[in-house]
Amino acid sequence: MRDRDGILTPGRRGLRASDRHARALGSRSWALSLVMAAGLGLFVAVATTSLPYLVSSPTTDPHFGALNQCLAEALKGPRLGWAVAPDASRTATFSARAVALCRKDGPAAVFPAPGVRDITFDGQGRLWVATGEQLLREEAGQLVPMGDFAPISLAGHAAGVIALDGEGQLLSISPQGEVLGAARLPAPGALSVGPGGMLAAVVIGGGVVAYEASTLTPLRAEAPCQVEGLWWLDAPERVLLACGPGQASALSFDLKTGQSTKVPHRVRAPARRLSGRPLYVQGCDGLPCTASAP
């Protein structure tokens, strides 16, 4: 019996010591869990509030943050579209009844423009506005009529603007109102102008039609694939075409020669390349935001 007690007594003491150690460890683990939970909660709170704001808010954009802050304050309510000057020094946005213009070196300007359909800047940074009834151009702090042509889409080029109406008619118009060139499409399409404001393209009917921008001299009209989208590349004559259905493939395409090269497939968001600098822009809440290159 004594030998048995001699064996069991240290064991009970060891068990009591282990029990105290376990309770202490459990307390420390519980406290550590609380700290970790609190830290995780803080991380989640930051990740679900601050980070998306910092990443996606137009007013924190690296190139357009200050200009977007100006536009957002100048034009409240739903914004339907935007435009950026070729050198990114001016931006504009519009609602159904007004256009707001902001610049890096001055205050915002707001112009009444009921029925506005589209806006753009030409190669000299002039603002153009298309309404349901006429084409307007910014001059001396106001919008002046440029004729009774009623376009639905605009794209600025080096010497003026290209205007496309609802019947597929294209006009190239100088800042003085002179018609520099004309063309006709079977229907409206997605109009854009590339680097330097030299070439224009319209995606229509699964193909692409290219023009010399200022004169609208035809360059090429073909469908190298079922074209669903177009991005301008740095070379003035080259574009990236998304081929459908569902952007299943993509081609680097030369608008002058018609030569094409397959490029790696990936889903690309719609974005415009500024004609004056290699910067891509996409819309966010009716304001321009910096986009990734295609």
Side-chain angles (χ1 to χ4, degrees):
M1 182 68 77
R2 188 180 299 122
D3 291 341
R4 186 178 296 175
D5 290 342
I7 295 172
L8 292 177
T9 300
R12 293 190 185 99
R13 290 173 181 171
L15 288 174
R16 287 194 293 270
S18 297
D19 188 47
R20 288 195 299 271
H21 177 72
R23 287 196 299 271
L25 181 60
S27 299
R28 288 196 296 271
S29 298
W30 182 75
L32 181 60
S33 298
L34 282 181
V35 171
M36 291 177 65
L40 180 60
L42 177 61
F43 174 78
V44 171
V46 170
T48 56
T49 56
S50 301
L51 286 181
Y53 177 80
L54 292 174
V55 171
S56 64
S57 172
T59 58
T60 60
D61 185 275
H63 293 100
F64 304 108
L67 290 167
N68 283 340
Q69 184 68 48
C70 170
L71 291 176
E73 292 174 355
L75 192 62
K76 307 292 185 181
R79 293 177 290 269
L80 305 179
W82 52 270
V84 178
D87 62 356
S89 65
R90 313 175 87 202
T91 58
T93 187
F94 68 91
S95 66
R97 303 190 61 82
V99 178
L101 169 66
C102 286
R103 65 204 85 193
K104 291 183 177 180
D105 57 355
V110 179
F111 308 103
V116 59
R117 304 288 297 274
D118 199 10
I119 59 177
T120 194
F121 290 92
D122 64 22
Q124 302 303 312
R126 303 180 187 90
L127 176 66
W128 296 72
V129 177
T131 73
E133 298 180 352
Q134 58 186 338
L135 176 64
L136 307 168
R137 179 176 62 78
E138 172 206 3
E139 182 178 319
Q142 58 183 345
L143 296 179
V144 298
M146 300 299 292
D148 57 1
F149 185 61
I152 61 172
S153 180
L154 300 175
H157 61 71
V161 71
I162 299 174
L164 172 65
D165 73 6
E167 297 180 353
Q169 183 179 6
L170 283 166
L171 292 181
S172 174
I173 303 171
S174 76
Q176 293 73 39
E178 177 186 2
V179 176
L180 304 174
R184 181 171 287 278
L185 296 165
L191 168 67
S192 61
V193 169
M198 305 303 294
L199 301 183
V202 181
V203 175
I204 178 174
V208 60
V209 184
Y211 302 93
E212 194 283 326
S214 63
T215 64
L216 292 179
T217 301
L219 296 177
R220 184 162 298 278
E222 63 180 86
C225 65
Q226 181 65 31
V227 180
E228 291 190 343
L230 178 150
W231 296 261
W232 290 92
L233 302 178
D234 289 342
E237 70 280 0
R238 295 205 72 87
V239 294
L240 180 67
L241 302 177
C243 303
Q247 295 191 25
S249 61
L251 297 175
S252 174
F253 184 72
D254 191 306
L255 294 174
K256 289 186 175 181
T257 68
Q259 294 180 344
S260 63
T261 305
K262 289 186 178 180
V263 299
H265 166 66
R266 64 182 179 87
V267 177
R268 297 170 171 88
R272 307 177 197 172
R273 185 195 185 280
L274 297 187
S275 63
R277 55 185 294 191
L279 180 64
Y280 288 88
V281 188
Q282 64 185 1
C284 45
D285 193 23
L287 300 171
C289 290
T290 304
S292 301

